Amino acid sequence: MASPIVRFAPSPTGRIHAGNARTALYNWFFAQKQGGRFILRFDDTDEARSTREFADAIEEDLAWLGISPDRIERQSLRLASYEEAAAALKAAGLLYPCYETPEELERQRKRRLGRGLPPVYDRRALKLTEEERAALEAEGREPHWRFLLPNFSDDPFATVRTERSWDDVFRGPQSVDLASLSDPVLVRGDGSFLYTLPSVVDDRDMGVTHVLRGDDHVTNTGVQLALFEALQATPPAFGHHNLLQTEAGEGFSKRYESLSLAALRRDGIEAAALAAYASLIGTGQSVQPVNGLAELVELFDPTKVNRAPARFSVGELKNLNSRILAHLPYEAVAERLEEAGVRGGETFWHAVQGNIEKLADAAFWWRVVRDPIEPAIEPEDADFLRQAAELLPEEPFDETTWGTWTQAVKEKTGRRGKGLFLPLRRALTGATSGPELRELLPFLGRPNTLARLCAPCSGTETP
Ligand code: GLU
């Protein structure tokens, strides 16, 4: 097979979310696996809602994920090609003008349902004479244009079952009966294009070999296969993956700002965690920590993607994020730690990486060891902590210091287990849990440690 060309085609009408990331990643993995090319195509024919800012933000989001498109296209710059295709369809009698208002269409639909007929458009505009059209236009009605689906033999008013079938990259054999569909509107009353035709024209002109997208597009594929035929173009292969759902079982939408890549990144989710989670849930493969996209490319297998929607749990994503951080090598985070003001180098990273939910938590622990804190000390532990202070070894501290010290404290005070460790942890870090003190102690240093242990001395000492 020649090397594939795929495309990810978001509408830049908002920030992309984890569900869009799933589509982008699957396209990316597919292309990477077979040495193919990845086109980022902005479906921006809806001028009122599309913005350049959103398009730029989508590019940034993809870059963060690790996806670098080989080519970027914008539909708004290709209108002439769509006009040309529409003209060819009109000339062939396959694109016809309709004048119904949305209210009229709704009434027709209800009437059909009431008569037990499928609620598809009955092609009545095809019956309009030249004069009737002229009269409607004189009333000020702008036509919208429908594609005449090839779902009949001679008489367009007598549709017959007409299957369009394909071997879906994700789902195996699929088919859509064109007789069950309304002729789709390709051009709006104001002359603007809906996505259906531009997508086919682009896929044809850009040599797209595989269209991989969400399974909400299965029906569109039936229509688009018919459009490829009408334009005498060879259709690409198609693949439809299951969609993500929120935990409440709702479809993802741009309304859920908190599930946008931008928001998840702000919340401290690593790109590798999002990529692994968004691509592995709802498949026969287990969600597992990875270091980067290359590992996911290896794991990618479209035949293992489930049919049912995949539940996206922010809690599970956070959990995976911690597991990924726990294994990230220092080089992978050095620059970001530096930017966050963490100066403890590799040793500090290893001390904290197993106990953080997000990278910013490393900066939190760095401040805990370096900046003054509010020690959490129970009055009944004050004596114990004073004794511990007396036993604190001289510097230099290393990772054996903690063991030596607490052993001595244990022998002197008779405290063990939680009674020994918890008051020390609370005094030294202000918290009841966190990274191993054995590893934090060298960063705290002796003066700092003493100050924290002895904070109560002045207040609680008996005269
Ligand atoms: N703009 C369309 C969408 O986001 C693209 C669908 C496709 O990939 O063909 O749903």
Side-chain angles (χ1 to χ4, degrees), residues 219-266:
T219 309
N220 277 344
T221 294
V223 169
Q224 291 183 324
L225 282 170
L227 270 174
F228 276 101
E229 282 162 34
L231 296 171
Q232 289 156 21
T234 312
F238 284 89
H240 300 86
H241 62 79
N242 57 355
L243 300 180
L244 302 188
Q245 275 186 351
T246 64
E247 278 175 289
E250 287 169 4
F252 269 41
S253 103
K254 288 181 179 155
R255 286 195 319 272
Y256 297 115
E257 215 281 316
S258 63
L259 299 174
S260 69
L261 266 55
L264 292 168
R265 177 171 59 201
R266 261 198 315 274

Side-chain angles (χ1 to χ4, degrees), residues 267-268 270 321-322 325-326 328-330 332-371 373 429 434-435 439-440 443:
D267 283 353
E270 297 292 309
N321 202 52
S322 318
L325 286 168
L328 274 187
Y330 177 64
V333 289
E335 208 169 297
R336 289 159 67 203
L337 289 176
E338 179 82 10
E339 274 165 27
V342 180
R343 301 278 177 267
E346 187 161 359
T347 332
F348 185 74
W349 173 241
H350 293 318
V352 298
Q353 73 177 141
N355 276 283
I356 54 178
E357 285 180 1
K358 43 188 193 244
L359 196 80
D361 295 344
F364 168 83
W365 288 110
W366 182 247
R367 287 193 300 274
V368 166
V369 294
R370 285 299 150 125
D371 297 346
I373 59 153
T429 67
E439 294 183 273
L440 289 186
F443 290 98

Side-chain angles (χ1 to χ4, degrees), residues 39 95 128 161 174 177 183 194 269 278 339 371 378 436:
I39 301 173
L95 191 59
L128 294 172
R161 192 176 178 87
Q174 293 290 298
D177 175 13
D183 286 341
L194 281 103
I269 299 297
E339 274 165 27
D371 297 346
E378 301 294 335
E436 295 287 341

Side-chain angles (χ1 to χ4, degrees), residues 301-320:
D301 179 350
T303 65
K304 295 216 168 111
V305 174
N306 299 345
R307 291 287 180 95
R311 284 285 163 98
F312 186 92
S313 148
V314 175
E316 278 175 25
L317 172 62
K318 288 188 170 162
N319 182 284
L320 180 67

Side-chain angles (χ1 to χ4, degrees), residues 7-11 20 23 27 41-43 75 195 199 203 211-214 216-217 220 224 238 254:
R7 86 295 193 281
F8 171 57
S11 323
N20 304 124
T23 309
N27 276 285
R41 189 185 80 206
F42 290 112
D43 282 3
Q75 292 196 324
Y195 133 91
S199 177
D203 291 339
V211 170
L212 309 180
R213 55 189 178 182
D216 50 337
H217 285 289
N220 277 344
Q224 291 183 324
F238 284 89
K254 288 181 179 155

Side-chain angles (χ1 to χ4, degrees), residues 56-135:
D56 292 347
I58 291 172
E59 269 184 62
E60 271 173 40
D61 288 341
L62 292 181
W64 172 70
L65 267 184
I67 293 179
S68 46
D70 295 293
R71 184 168 154 190
I72 297 180
E73 296 283 352
R74 293 171 213 279
Q75 292 196 324
S76 53
L77 302 178
R78 292 184 31 81
L79 297 179
S81 310
Y82 313 144
E83 297 289 359
E84 204 176 292
L89 293 174
K90 283 181 193 172
L94 296 176
L95 191 59
Y96 62 97
C98 302
Y99 297 85
E100 292 89 349
T101 62
E103 296 74 31
E104 284 165 351
L105 287 172
E106 185 52 25
R107 273 200 299 277
Q108 287 177 20
R109 205 180 73 89
K110 288 211 174 109
R111 230 174 289 134
R112 284 182 69 89
L113 281 173
R115 287 167 38 213
L117 296 169
V120 293
Y121 180 62
D122 63 6
R123 295 182 162 155
R124 65 181 60 189
L126 265 187
K127 292 181 177 151
L128 294 172
T129 62
E130 198 93 11
E131 293 73 46
E132 285 168 327
R133 284 189 203 150

